[in-house]
Amino acid sequence: NAGVMQNPRHLVRRRGQEARLRCSPMKGHSHVYWYRQLPEEGLKFMVYLQKENIIDESGMPKERFSAEFPKEGPSILRIQQVVRGDSAAYFCASSPPGQGNIQYFGAGTRLSVL
Amino acid sequence: EDKVVQSPLSLVVHEGDTVTLNCSYEVTNFRSLLWYKQEKKAPTFLFMLTSSGIEKKSGRLSSILDKKELFSILNITATQTGDSAIYLCAVDGGGSYQLTFGKGTKLSVIP
Protein backbone atom coordinates (compact mmCIF):
# COMPACT_ATOMS: atom_id res chain seq x y z
CA ASN A 1 0.00 0.00 0.00
CA ALA A 2 1.77 3.09 -1.23
CA GLY A 3 1.82 6.08 1.05
CA VAL A 4 0.71 9.59 0.21
CA MET A 5 2.40 10.57 -3.02
CA GLN A 6 3.27 14.16 -3.82
CA ASN A 7 4.83 15.52 -6.97
CA PRO A 8 6.93 17.17 -7.93
CA ARG A 9 9.32 16.97 -4.97
CA HIS A 10 10.96 20.21 -5.98
CA LEU A 11 9.47 22.98 -8.09
CA VAL A 12 11.17 26.16 -9.22
CA ARG A 13 9.10 29.04 -10.56
CA ARG A 14 9.79 32.63 -11.47
CA ARG A 15 7.70 35.40 -10.00
CA GLY A 16 4.36 35.67 -11.80
CA GLN A 17 4.25 32.05 -12.97
CA GLU A 18 1.78 29.42 -11.82
CA ALA A 19 2.62 26.49 -9.55
CA ARG A 20 0.64 23.25 -9.52
CA LEU A 21 1.27 20.77 -6.73
CA ARG A 22 -0.22 17.29 -6.86
CA CYS A 23 -1.18 14.88 -4.12
CA SER A 24 -2.44 11.31 -4.41
CA PRO A 25 -3.83 10.08 -1.08
CA MET A 26 -3.27 6.63 0.34
CA LYS A 27 -5.52 3.94 -1.09
CA GLY A 28 -8.90 4.01 0.60
CA HIS A 29 -8.44 7.55 1.93
CA SER A 30 -11.03 10.07 0.84
CA HIS A 31 -9.92 13.06 2.91
CA VAL A 32 -7.04 15.30 1.89
CA TYR A 33 -5.37 18.14 3.80
CA TRP A 34 -2.79 20.65 2.63
CA TYR A 35 -0.28 22.30 4.97
CA ARG A 36 2.48 24.85 4.36
CA GLN A 37 5.78 24.93 6.22
CA LEU A 38 7.81 28.11 6.13
CA PRO A 39 11.45 28.11 7.29
CA GLU A 40 11.72 27.98 11.09
CA GLU A 41 7.93 27.68 11.37
CA GLY A 42 5.57 24.82 12.13
CA LEU A 43 3.22 23.28 9.63
CA LYS A 44 0.23 25.56 9.00
CA PHE A 45 -3.12 24.21 7.88
CA MET A 46 -4.37 25.49 4.54
CA VAL A 47 -7.34 23.46 3.32
CA TYR A 48 -9.29 20.26 3.91
CA LEU A 49 -11.03 18.52 1.01
CA GLN A 50 -13.09 15.46 0.37
CA LYS A 51 -13.83 14.17 -3.11
CA GLU A 52 -15.32 17.06 -5.13
CA ASN A 53 -15.86 19.16 -1.98
CA ILE A 54 -13.91 21.79 -0.09
CA ILE A 55 -14.75 21.23 3.57
CA ASP A 56 -12.59 23.88 5.25
CA GLU A 57 -10.42 26.46 3.48
CA SER A 58 -9.96 28.75 6.47
CA GLY A 59 -6.16 28.56 6.18
CA MET A 60 -5.95 29.45 2.50
CA PRO A 61 -4.85 32.93 1.43
CA LYS A 62 -7.83 34.69 -0.10
CA GLU A 63 -6.13 35.42 -3.40
CA ARG A 64 -4.05 33.39 -5.86
CA PHE A 65 -4.45 30.06 -4.02
CA SER A 66 -6.98 27.39 -4.89
CA ALA A 67 -7.38 23.66 -4.28
CA GLU A 68 -9.43 20.86 -5.72
CA PHE A 69 -9.90 17.14 -5.24
CA PRO A 70 -11.77 15.82 -8.27
CA LYS A 71 -13.71 12.60 -8.45
CA GLU A 72 -10.89 11.07 -10.45
CA GLY A 73 -7.24 11.91 -10.09
CA PRO A 74 -5.06 13.61 -7.51
CA SER A 75 -5.75 16.65 -5.39
CA ILE A 76 -4.23 19.81 -6.84
CA LEU A 77 -3.01 22.88 -4.97
CA ARG A 78 -2.69 25.75 -7.43
CA ILE A 79 -0.85 28.98 -6.80
CA GLN A 80 -1.25 31.67 -9.43
CA GLN A 81 1.19 34.54 -10.01
CA VAL A 82 3.66 33.24 -7.44
CA VAL A 83 5.68 35.66 -5.32
CA ARG A 84 8.88 35.07 -3.36
CA GLY A 85 6.90 34.76 -0.13
CA ASP A 86 5.23 31.62 -1.51
CA SER A 87 8.56 29.77 -1.26
CA ALA A 88 7.94 26.99 1.26
CA ALA A 89 7.43 23.27 1.66
CA TYR A 90 3.87 22.21 0.92
CA PHE A 91 2.72 18.99 2.55
CA CYS A 92 -0.32 16.94 1.78
CA ALA A 93 -1.90 14.50 4.22
CA SER A 94 -4.73 12.03 3.90
CA SER A 95 -6.99 10.13 6.24
CA PRO A 96 -9.59 7.40 5.87
CA PRO A 97 -13.29 8.15 6.36
CA GLY A 98 -14.19 8.51 10.02
CA GLN A 99 -10.59 8.81 11.25
CA GLY A 100 -9.83 12.37 10.38
CA ASN A 101 -7.54 13.05 13.25
CA ILE A 102 -4.86 10.53 12.22
CA GLN A 103 -3.38 12.10 9.13
CA TYR A 104 -0.67 10.45 7.04
CA PHE A 105 1.71 12.80 5.30
CA GLY A 106 3.46 12.85 1.97
CA ALA A 107 7.09 13.86 1.55
CA GLY A 108 6.14 17.38 0.49
CA THR A 109 6.82 19.65 -2.46
CA ARG A 110 9.49 22.27 -1.97
CA LEU A 111 8.55 25.37 -3.97
CA SER A 112 11.23 27.91 -4.72
CA VAL A 113 10.24 31.21 -6.32
CA LEU A 114 13.07 33.09 -8.03
CA GLU B 1 -6.59 30.94 18.05
CA ASP B 2 -5.28 27.45 18.86
CA LYS B 3 -1.66 27.36 19.98
CA VAL B 4 0.96 24.62 20.42
CA VAL B 5 4.37 25.26 22.00
CA GLN B 6 7.16 22.71 22.00
CA SER B 7 10.32 22.74 24.05
CA PRO B 8 13.20 22.59 23.79
CA LEU B 9 13.57 23.72 20.17
CA SER B 10 16.71 21.63 19.82
CA LEU B 11 18.52 19.02 21.84
CA VAL B 12 21.81 17.17 21.46
CA VAL B 13 22.34 13.93 23.37
CA HIS B 14 24.65 10.92 23.29
CA GLU B 15 23.55 7.48 22.24
CA GLY B 16 21.99 5.64 25.15
CA ASP B 17 20.65 8.76 26.85
CA THR B 18 16.98 9.22 27.71
CA VAL B 19 15.23 12.34 26.41
CA THR B 20 11.97 14.05 27.23
CA LEU B 21 10.28 16.34 24.73
CA ASN B 22 7.57 18.73 25.84
CA CYS B 23 4.41 20.01 24.22
CA SER B 24 1.91 22.44 25.75
CA TYR B 25 -1.25 23.57 24.05
CA GLU B 26 -4.22 25.91 24.15
CA VAL B 27 -7.16 24.87 22.01
CA THR B 28 -10.84 25.64 21.95
CA ASN B 29 -12.28 22.12 21.78
CA PHE B 30 -9.60 19.52 22.39
CA ARG B 31 -10.14 16.27 20.54
CA SER B 32 -6.68 14.68 20.32
CA LEU B 33 -2.93 15.28 20.43
CA LEU B 34 -0.57 13.68 17.94
CA TRP B 35 3.17 13.16 17.76
CA TYR B 36 5.05 12.87 14.48
CA LYS B 37 8.69 12.22 13.59
CA GLN B 38 10.03 14.23 10.65
CA GLU B 39 13.25 13.27 8.96
CA LYS B 40 14.15 14.54 5.49
CA LYS B 41 10.86 13.35 4.14
CA ALA B 42 7.28 12.79 5.23
CA PRO B 43 6.33 13.35 8.86
CA THR B 44 5.70 9.86 10.23
CA PHE B 45 2.84 9.27 12.67
CA LEU B 46 3.94 8.07 16.11
CA PHE B 47 1.09 8.38 18.62
CA MET B 48 -2.36 9.81 19.10
CA LEU B 49 -3.57 10.63 22.61
CA THR B 50 -7.15 11.41 23.50
CA SER B 51 -9.27 11.73 26.61
CA SER B 52 -9.75 7.97 26.57
CA GLY B 53 -6.11 7.14 25.81
CA ILE B 54 -3.73 9.33 27.77
CA GLU B 55 -0.71 7.04 27.72
CA LYS B 56 0.88 5.26 24.78
CA LYS B 57 4.02 3.17 24.40
CA SER B 58 5.81 1.65 21.46
CA GLY B 59 9.22 0.13 21.99
CA ARG B 60 11.58 2.79 23.33
CA LEU B 61 9.07 5.59 22.77
CA SER B 62 6.28 6.52 25.13
CA SER B 63 3.98 9.47 25.56
CA ILE B 64 1.55 10.77 28.13
CA LEU B 65 -1.14 13.43 28.01
CA ASP B 66 -2.13 15.64 30.93
CA LYS B 67 -5.49 17.14 29.96
CA LYS B 68 -5.76 19.09 33.17
CA GLU B 69 -2.43 20.88 32.76
CA LEU B 70 -2.70 20.94 28.93
CA PHE B 71 0.58 19.31 28.03
CA SER B 72 2.10 16.14 26.70
CA ILE B 73 5.56 14.62 26.86
CA LEU B 74 7.32 12.25 24.51
CA ASN B 75 10.00 10.06 26.08
CA ILE B 76 12.68 8.21 24.18
CA THR B 77 14.85 5.81 26.16
CA ALA B 78 18.21 4.34 25.10
CA THR B 79 18.44 6.78 22.18
CA GLN B 80 20.05 5.72 18.91
CA THR B 81 21.47 7.78 16.05
CA GLY B 82 18.41 6.79 14.02
CA ASP B 83 16.25 8.77 16.46
CA SER B 84 17.80 11.99 15.14
CA ALA B 85 14.90 13.93 13.63
CA ILE B 86 12.48 16.75 14.24
CA TYR B 87 9.64 15.68 16.52
CA LEU B 88 6.36 17.44 15.87
CA CYS B 89 3.45 17.83 18.24
CA ALA B 90 0.02 18.64 16.81
CA VAL B 91 -3.40 19.16 18.31
CA ASP B 92 -6.81 18.54 16.80
CA GLY B 93 -8.90 21.34 18.26
CA GLY B 94 -12.26 20.03 17.03
CA GLY B 95 -14.19 21.18 14.00
CA SER B 96 -12.83 20.06 10.66
CA TYR B 97 -9.83 18.00 11.84
CA GLN B 98 -7.30 20.66 10.95
CA LEU B 99 -4.17 20.07 13.01
CA THR B 100 -2.32 22.88 14.77
CA PHE B 101 1.40 22.12 14.90
CA GLY B 102 4.19 23.30 17.15
CA LYS B 103 7.51 24.33 15.63
CA GLY B 104 9.07 21.01 16.53
CA THR B 105 12.01 19.81 18.60
CA LYS B 106 15.16 18.99 16.65
CA LEU B 107 16.82 16.01 18.30
CA SER B 108 20.40 15.11 17.43
CA VAL B 109 21.80 11.85 18.81
CA ILE B 110 25.58 11.60 18.55
CA PRO B 111 27.53 8.34 18.84
Side-chain angles (χ1 to χ4, degrees):
Chain A
N1 187 10
V4 177
M5 303 301 292
Q6 289 189 248
N7 68 81
R9 288 295 309 277
H10 302 277
L11 183 61
V12 180
R13 285 287 178 265
R14 296 191 180 280
R15 280 181 297 170
Q17 291 184 318
E18 178 179 287
R20 281 184 174 240
L21 288 62
R22 293 175 185 75
C23 169
S24 295
M26 287 177 72
K27 189 175 180 182
H29 288 195
S30 56
H31 299 199
V32 165
Y33 314 79
W34 285 92
Y35 293 82
R36 176 164 63 176
Q37 187 175 39
L38 294 167
E40 309 301 322
E41 294 291 324
L43 288 151
K44 302 285 187 196
F45 169 79
M46 298 181 75
V47 62
Y48 163 36
L49 310 107
Q50 295 177 16
K51 285 283 188 181
E52 300 184 281
N53 281 307
I54 297 174
I55 306 301
D56 180 355
E57 56 181 348
S58 58
M60 287 275 272
K62 294 286 184 285
E63 297 176 350
R64 302 186 298 107
F65 285 71
S66 62
E68 62 176 8
F69 188 16
K71 189 176 179 182
E72 302 290 338
S75 175
I76 306 286
L77 179 67
R78 183 181 177 208
I79 311 172
Q80 295 178 288
Q81 300 175 312
V82 296
V83 301
R84 288 222 173 98
D86 297 333
S87 295
Y90 292 83
F91 287 90
C92 170
S94 72
S95 66
Q99 296 180 39
N101 36 13
I102 301 181
Q103 297 174 20
Y104 298 89
F105 281 80
T109 293
R110 186 161 298 278
L111 173 65
S112 298
V113 180
L114 304 179
Chain B
E1 185 179 315
D2 295 348
K3 189 176 173 184
V4 176
V5 177
Q6 291 186 246
S7 64
L9 290 181
S10 66
L11 190 55
V12 180
V13 300
H14 288 94
E15 265 192 316
D17 288 350
T18 293
V19 298
T20 298
L21 310 182
N22 304 293
C23 175
S24 64
Y25 61 91
E26 296 174 26
V27 295
T28 311
N29 295 301
F30 177 85
R31 187 153 51 194
S32 60
L33 184 144
L34 297 90
W35 285 96
Y36 287 85
K37 177 182 181 183
Q38 184 178 22
E39 298 167 273
K40 289 185 179 179
K41 45 185 180 178
T44 306
F45 171 75
L46 294 175
F47 297 119
M48 183 176 74
L49 301 138
T50 65
S51 301
S52 56
I54 60 173
E55 192 167 343
K56 293 286 175 75
K57 183 175 170 62
S58 175
R60 296 177 296 103
L61 277 66
S62 63
S63 182
I64 62 170
L65 172 70
D66 187 326
K67 271 203 72 179
K68 185 179 176 185
E69 299 298 331
L70 306 183
F71 77 87
S72 174
I73 62 171
L74 176 68
N75 276 319
I76 309 175
T77 59
T79 51
Q80 302 170 357
T81 54
D83 295 327
S84 296
I86 297 173
Y87 289 83
L88 301 172
C89 173
V91 174
D92 173 4
S96 69
Y97 295 116
Q98 59 170 280
L99 296 178
T100 300
F101 281 84
K103 292 185 179 181
T105 293
K106 184 177 180 181
L107 174 65
S108 301
V109 182
I110 54 179

